[in-house]
Amino acid sequence: MRANPGSGRPRARDLNSDRRLRRSSLLKIAAGVGAVVMAASACGADSGSEDGVVELRFSWWGADDRHAVTQQVIEEFEAANPDIRIVGDYTDWGSYWDRLATSTAAGDAPDIMTQEERYLREYGDRGALADLSQFESLDLSKIDPLVAESGDMNGETYGVATGVNAYTIMADVDAFEEAGVELPDDESWSWDDYVDLAIEISEATDGEIVGTQSMAFNEAGFQIFARQKGENLYNEDGTLGYSEETLAEWYGLIDRLQEEGGQPTASESVEIEALGPDGSVLAANSGAMAHFWTNQLGQQTDTSGHEIELLRYPGETTEDRSGMFFKPAMFYSVSAESEHPEEAARFVDFLVNSNEAAELILADRGLPANIDVRGHIVSQLPEADARSAVFLSDIEGTIEDGNPPPPIGAGEVVNIVKRASEEMSFGNLTPEEAAAQFTSEVEAATQGG
């Protein structure tokens, strides 16, 4: 029998004494707690109003278009559930985690919150999140099996996936044609094929079109590479699940691409990474391949003005096993401190299981995790998102399993992987040294070392 959220576990308001929760954010908590508590008192969230309507706070991050759509979803829910009022609490990605850490530490977490996999364990392990499997008002039976357990830890469900993405190689069809090189057979190509192909494109165009953007700056690529060898970035218990030899081999591929001109120079790669997706080699029409999540296809297509193809990762059939996986785009969670958890769960149920919500959200939070809902909206998706849906359907049968939630501190890996990659790219580290540095820093960040 599972314990009720918060019983026998640290309460969310105790978290401000725990220095490991969102290390960088907690430095700012002391200054922000008073303001947050005053704001909460002023808005009166998480309480019943005078008219008997339950008021709940829902937090998310994103740009203005997401905010507008989410407000429409809230209105649809409230129309069907007049006994509940949802108060939106949203901001941009950069501010979201500081705000959430502050409010959680103050015992004033939103009733329903959006989570990202790098931080889910941080909040779940400290008792800040309710076990979603206990709520009668929330049906989890239709969630895609490949992500259905992605929010599970210690026998409890701390988050339900909003939708799914897959990490892919995107190929510019026009760039391949200009180089006179055929697109690869992505059901059979190997890692050597990928490297050779990138070098061939660069050489065929005298460097005007680079073969591929560096794959060094996102750990998701290495995660697929490690999974293909029967390893993983993280184990179930949060420890590192790969060998340094495997990571050194990965860095060796990147080193060869740079040495032989298959990718931009070190300084160019750093500049491209800093520009983000809008500055990719695809967006700039200066490269043939780049690594992105499926939900970024529309943006890369629109920015480049070219036809972009989605390709499976190399090695899927030439290595020990398939390494690609479905990533939860984000999660919905319910606060363990919510005074109205069943009503909060009812809203989460609407978000993940209703066609009405999906018709508004479409693929903004990943293609719906509910399989039936996903099928319902495919015909309504923009062209790029519809192509992504077909791609995910095509690879679904080849995916062997999902990944455990990353350990506490995994949010620091974004910077760790960039440091190691830059040092190697500029010749300051060998692939073996870069692997050792990455491993040492990730262990320190995720295991308190």
Side-chain angles (χ1 to χ4, degrees):
M1 179 176 180
R2 293 177 179 174
N4 289 329
S7 64
R9 295 182 288 151
R11 293 169 64 85
R13 61 172 52 94
D14 294 329
L15 296 182
N16 64 344
S17 63
D18 192 326
R19 296 181 180 177
R20 292 180 299 166
L21 174 60
R22 192 72 171 95
R23 292 174 176 84
S24 61
S25 297
L26 282 179
L27 296 176
K28 304 177 182 179
I29 283 178
V33 167
V36 172
V37 173
M38 289 177 64
S41 299
C43 72
D46 195 26
S47 63
S49 63
E50 292 181 0
D51 57 6
V53 175
V54 170
E55 192 169 281
L56 303 172
R57 201 160 86 249
F58 171 41
S59 67
W60 70 89
W61 67 80
D64 290 344
D65 54 350
R66 176 175 294 167
H67 302 334
V69 168
T70 305
Q71 190 57 52
Q72 293 180 54
V73 173
I74 289 172
E75 291 170 2
E76 287 278 343
F77 174 79
E78 290 177 337
N81 298 268
D83 59 322
I84 300 175
R85 182 180 301 121
I86 304 295
V87 177
D89 179 11
Y90 54 87
T91 184
D92 61 279
W93 167 266
S95 304
Y96 183 83
W97 298 104
D98 286 341
R99 178 184 291 188
L100 185 61
T102 301
S103 61
T104 302
D108 183 48
D111 299 271
I112 308 103
M113 66 189 79
T114 309
Q115 282 283 345
E116 205 274 344
E117 68 171 2
R118 292 187 184 99
Y119 305 109
L120 187 66
R121 191 184 294 269
E122 295 194 21
Y123 287 83
D125 277 4
R126 289 166 173 75
L129 306 179
D131 178 9
L132 299 181
S133 66
Q134 70 175 331
F135 297 123
E136 295 182 1
S137 55
L138 175 56
D139 181 7
L140 301 176
S141 65
K142 295 293 186 178
I143 302 301
D144 191 323
L146 290 172
V147 294
E149 298 180 359
S150 57
D152 291 2
M153 288 175 285
N154 306 320
E156 298 190 351
T157 300
Y158 293 130
V160 56
T162 66
V164 297
N165 292 322
Y167 203 56
T168 69
I169 291 180
M170 294 189 186
D172 184 327
V173 175
D174 294 339
F176 272 82
E177 290 179 354
E178 186 171 339
V181 176
E182 291 188 3
L183 284 166
D185 178 359
D186 70 338
E187 294 188 31
S188 64
W189 66 332
S190 67
W191 282 101
D192 284 340
D193 292 333
Y194 164 71
V195 174
D196 291 342
L197 188 65
I199 295 169
E200 181 183 358
I201 291 170
S202 294
E203 291 178 346
T205 61
D206 293 325
E208 291 193 14
I209 298 176
V210 71
T212 186
Q213 185 167 317
S214 175
M215 61 185 182
F217 295 96
N218 192 316
E219 71 268 28
F222 170 65
Q223 190 165 28
I224 294 174
F225 185 77
R227 283 167 55 88
Q228 289 175 347
K229 297 181 179 299
E231 303 175 17
N232 208 331
L233 182 56
Y234 305 114
N235 292 317
E236 290 285 346
D237 62 1
T239 58
L240 300 187
Y242 63 87
S243 66
E244 273 194 30
E245 291 77 13
T246 294
L247 181 54
E249 183 180 348
W250 167 258
Y251 278 134
L253 294 172
I254 298 166
D255 191 52
R256 183 185 163 208
L257 280 165
Q258 182 167 304
E259 287 296 316
E260 300 187 36
Q263 68 182 35
T265 65
S267 58
E268 289 170 340
S269 289
V270 170
E271 181 179 356
I272 290 167
E273 174 62 21
L275 291 172
D278 287 339
S280 75
V281 297
L282 301 183
N285 300 142
S286 61
M289 293 182 286
H291 301 239
F292 285 107
W293 296 100
T294 48
N295 68 328
Q296 295 174 296
L297 176 62
Q299 185 266 349
Q300 289 298 301
T301 299
D302 293 343
T303 308
S304 69
H306 290 182
E307 180 183 353
I308 305 295
E309 284 289 330
L310 291 169
L311 302 177
R312 292 172 173 85
Y313 244 55
E316 284 293 276
T317 56
T318 61
E319 298 293 331
D320 295 343
R321 48 156 278 168
S322 169
M324 293 184 72
F325 56 89
F326 280 177
K327 176 189 181 296
M330 53 191 81
F331 293 92
Y332 295 126
S333 298
V334 171
S335 171
E337 290 292 307
S338 175
E339 295 177 8
H340 305 283
E342 280 292 345
E343 288 84 355
R346 200 197 311 174
F347 181 56
V348 173
D349 185 81
F350 182 80
L351 291 171
V352 298
N353 292 327
S354 73
N355 290 334
E356 293 83 1
E359 288 169 2
L360 292 167
I361 298 172
L362 296 176
D364 181 59
R365 288 173 164 90
L367 287 165
N370 180 310
I371 294 176
D372 292 346
V373 171
R374 190 187 306 166
H376 174 78
I377 66 159
V378 165
S379 63
Q380 304 172 46
L381 293 171
E383 190 268 341
D385 290 333
R387 287 175 52 211
S388 293
V390 171
F391 179 84
L392 291 175
S393 178
D394 288 345
I395 68 171
E396 186 166 12
T398 69
I399 294 176
E400 298 191 24
D401 50 30
N403 292 311
I408 295 172
E412 302 298 323
V413 175
V414 175
N415 294 322
I416 293 170
V417 72
K418 288 180 180 179
R419 282 196 295 271
S421 299
E422 289 180 12
E423 287 290 305
M424 187 188 74
S425 296
F426 283 105
N428 298 325
L429 297 174
T430 66
E432 291 75 17
E433 290 168 341
Q437 175 177 308
F438 176 88
T439 298
S440 175
E441 292 191 17
V442 173
E443 284 181 336
T446 61
Q447 298 171 41

